[in-house]
Amino acid sequence: MELTSKGYCIGGQQVEKIAEEFGLPLYLYDAQKIVGQYNRLLKSFPNTNIKIKYAAKSLTNLSILSLLKNEGAGLDVVSIEEAKLGLIAGFKPEDILFTPNCVAFEEVEEGVKLGITLNIDNISILEHFGDKYGNTVPCCIRINPHISAGGHSKIQVGHIDSKFGISIFQLPHIKRVVKANDIKVRGLHMHSGSDILDSEVFIRAAQVLFDVAREFQDLEVIDLGSGFKVAYQENDVTTNVEDLGKKLGKVFEAFCKEYGKELELWFEPGKFITSEAGCLLVKTNVIKQTPSAVFVGVDSGMNHLLRPMMYDAYHDIVNISNPKGTQRIYTVVGYICETDTFGWDRKLNEVREGDILAIKNAGSYGFSMSSNYNSRLKPAEVLVVNNQAKLIRKRETIEDLTRNQINIF
Ligand SMILES: *Cc1c(COP(=O)(O)O)cnc(C)c1O
């Protein structure tokens, strides 16, 4: 989204006009930005056999999945339902990696039936898996290297208390289970959380995974997960993927040489691909002055965008309707009967009742984490592609709320 002489625009289209056409609240995405981020990451590793498995959970709309599939991406899914969405969107089973955690073995079996690759994240499942499939179904193993990625504690998953992955300290046990059941380990995986600050941490983590890889003979893949950081506010430190490509590319090539085989390097970015490409457009219902603040109450809340409340995430907010107005200090809050604050003490161009605000970085973990709390309907989703705004999900109606309910009285 950029501020032009015609006001805020996405792909040449005026955001205000889009809001008028499709109504509010509205999730609005920019296809060009999504595709651009995907290709930017690809191009950062020119000499590496790199594959990008887009993390579906960040934004699962079928049009977004198909858009990335058409670019050549694979898919990382964390539930059998996401896997099925991927297949519906046109991904081939072999391009889907399924990284579940704490699921029943039946779900793993269903994944195998669909023909997708399982990424196994605990020894109990690995034992069951080997027992059932032996060397007939290759799999990946998710290792927890215990490298802290920094950032918010709720999005770090590599620490010692984390439920994710098989601890690197259990490597001897993994090897026993693999050997006893003759399991074909196709790849090793790690995902240290969603906020890795710099290339050095990534490389340190990769080195740890290479150490594990030396213990396995038939690998085809090293999967370094995600952790790519994007800017949520001005001056945020972001992952310099070009720098990462240069440094990690070299280290990876050296490892492949030592291993004696050109391995594939996989990444599973979600946020990096979709975060900045999306915003949540909301309408100002009321301006409410209290003894402590000027609240801007909007027609949305934690039901549509949970990150500010769940992770204390900072999401930049701009006033689309009054880009030239005098800047004043506001606290932007939702309409849910909970404390659902989008942002405290934000400098916005003067907000008037009826003004449209855009909450930025809402492409990832926005719609996909939304709910019907307070029996509110979910917003529509619109994708701007080739300079055209296209509806990719209808706004919910009251029928959507009652569809599966059975009133027995
Ligand atoms: C959530 C997740 C990702 C994506 O993380 P981002 O921070 O959105 O890039 C990748 N891999 C796995 C296994 C995940 O659970």
Side-chain angles (χ1 to χ4, degrees):
M1 191 165 60
E2 50 191 8
L3 185 55
T4 72
S5 56
K6 291 189 296 177
Y8 282 94
C9 288
I10 286 186
Q13 299 300 299
Q14 284 171 275
V15 173
E16 257 192 308
K17 284 241 172 83
I18 296 173
E20 221 167 84
E21 182 179 351
F22 297 97
L24 295 173
L26 185 74
Y27 268 101
L28 180 58
Y29 312 115
D30 179 1
Q32 202 178 345
K33 179 73 183 170
I34 292 174
V35 169
Q37 287 292 95
Y38 171 79
N39 284 304
R40 188 182 151 206
L41 183 54
L42 262 195
K43 284 193 188 120
S44 300
F45 290 81
N47 303 315
T48 308
N49 195 355
I50 178 183
K51 290 241 163 78
I52 296 171
K53 307 268 164 186
Y54 166 60
K57 75 176 186 288
S58 70
L59 175 57
T60 34
N61 187 292
L62 290 174
S63 289
I64 304 293
L65 298 182
S66 293
L67 174 73
L68 283 158
K69 184 214 62 162
N70 292 346
E71 286 297 307
L75 201 63
D76 179 66
V77 302
V78 293
S79 69
I80 201 73
E81 291 85 352
E82 277 187 0
K84 288 174 184 172
L85 283 178
L87 293 170
I88 292 169
F91 283 93
K92 292 193 200 110
E94 58 265 35
D95 291 330
I96 300 179
L97 179 69
F98 181 20
T99 307
N101 77 90
C102 300
V103 301
F105 192 68
E106 288 73 26
E107 193 167 327
V108 171
E109 291 175 310
E110 210 180 335
V112 171
K113 272 199 201 112
L114 293 178
I116 62 183
T117 301
L118 261 296
N119 188 14
I120 294 175
D121 111 317
N122 80 68
I123 287 191
S124 152
I125 296 280
L126 188 66
E127 272 189 33
H128 277 300
F129 193 89
D131 203 39
K132 170 132 195 193
Y133 302 108
N135 63 6
T136 63
V137 181
C139 67
C140 295
I141 297 179
R142 178 173 187 172
I143 303 287
N144 184 343
H146 302 304
I147 289 192
S148 169
H152 195 284
S153 62
K154 281 190 191 158
I155 52 178
Q156 281 183 42
V157 296
H159 53 82
I160 197 81
D161 295 329
S162 169
K163 70 168 181 167
F164 297 102
I166 306 178
S167 169
I168 191 155
F169 302 119
Q170 290 172 288
L171 182 57
H173 193 179
I174 297 174
K175 283 169 65 185
R176 274 215 170 82
V177 172
V178 166
K179 185 154 179 244
N181 280 324
D182 194 20
I183 298 171
K184 184 160 165 38
V185 180
R186 191 183 158 215
L188 293 178
H189 167 277
M190 54 157 245
H191 170 64
S192 293
S194 286
D195 253 347
I196 293 187
L197 284 175
D198 58 42
S199 305
E200 305 307 323
V201 181
F202 240 117
I203 289 172
R204 200 146 47 85
Q207 300 280 17
V208 171
L209 205 60
F210 296 159
D211 281 341
V212 180
R214 290 186 179 94
E215 309 278 332
F216 294 85
Q217 262 68 62
D218 303 318
L219 294 180
E220 295 160 15
V221 174
I222 297 283
D223 182 342
L224 295 180
S226 184
F228 300 99
K229 202 170 152 62
V230 298
Y232 276 74
Q233 53 185 311
E234 237 181 289
N235 303 324
D236 260 1
V237 182
T238 62
T239 308
N240 181 337
V241 292
E242 289 78 15
D243 178 63
L244 179 71
K246 269 195 203 111
K247 293 179 180 157
L248 181 60
K250 229 177 253 163
V251 175
F252 185 72
E253 282 154 42
F255 175 72
C256 288
K257 206 167 257 175
E258 178 205 320
Y259 192 77
K261 187 172 171 185
E262 201 196 331
L263 299 167
E264 288 178 10
L265 179 62
W266 290 2
F267 289 109
E268 303 163 348
K271 218 182 246 178
F272 182 79
I273 307 275
T274 51
S275 174
E276 295 162 295
C279 63
L280 173 60
L281 298 179
V282 298
K283 196 180 88 193
T284 304
N285 284 336
V286 289
I287 309 278
K288 180 172 181 176
Q289 173 98 53
T290 74
S292 87
V294 182
F295 288 101
V296 173
V298 301
D299 65 348
S300 182
M302 62 187 289
N303 52 326
H304 296 157
L305 181 64
L306 187 60
R307 297 188 80 255
M309 303 87 192
M310 182 161 169
Y311 299 128
D312 299 321
Y314 185 101
H315 285 255
D316 206 11
I317 302 171
V318 292
N319 186 351
I320 298 289
S321 306
N322 191 19
K324 294 198 179 122
T326 311
Q327 294 214 316
R328 302 186 61 185
I329 311 284
Y330 299 97
T331 292
V332 180
V333 295
Y335 61 4
I336 293 296
C337 294
E338 299 276 347
T339 301
D340 58 346
T341 309
F342 285 115
W344 278 101
D345 300 333
R346 300 301 182 85
K347 243 185 207 166
L348 303 179
N349 299 109
E350 182 166 5
V351 184
R352 303 146 309 181
E353 292 181 353
D355 277 1
I356 300 166
L357 307 186
I359 305 171
K360 292 164 88 171
N361 284 82
S364 299
Y365 310 106
F367 193 96
S368 67
M369 289 177 93
S370 66
S371 76
N372 288 114
Y373 187 46
N374 278 199
S375 298
R376 292 295 187 178
L377 307 175
K378 291 189 187 179
E381 289 179 292
V382 166
L383 178 67
V384 177
V385 58
N386 299 329
N387 300 317
Q388 275 186 308
K390 300 215 157 140
L391 188 67
I392 59 171
R393 187 192 299 265
K394 292 182 195 165
R395 187 174 299 286
E396 281 186 341
T397 63
I398 194 76
E399 285 72 36
D400 292 308
L401 288 188
T402 52
R403 176 172 301 128
N404 292 325
Q405 296 197 54
I406 301 159
N407 186 346
I408 57 164
F409 299 105

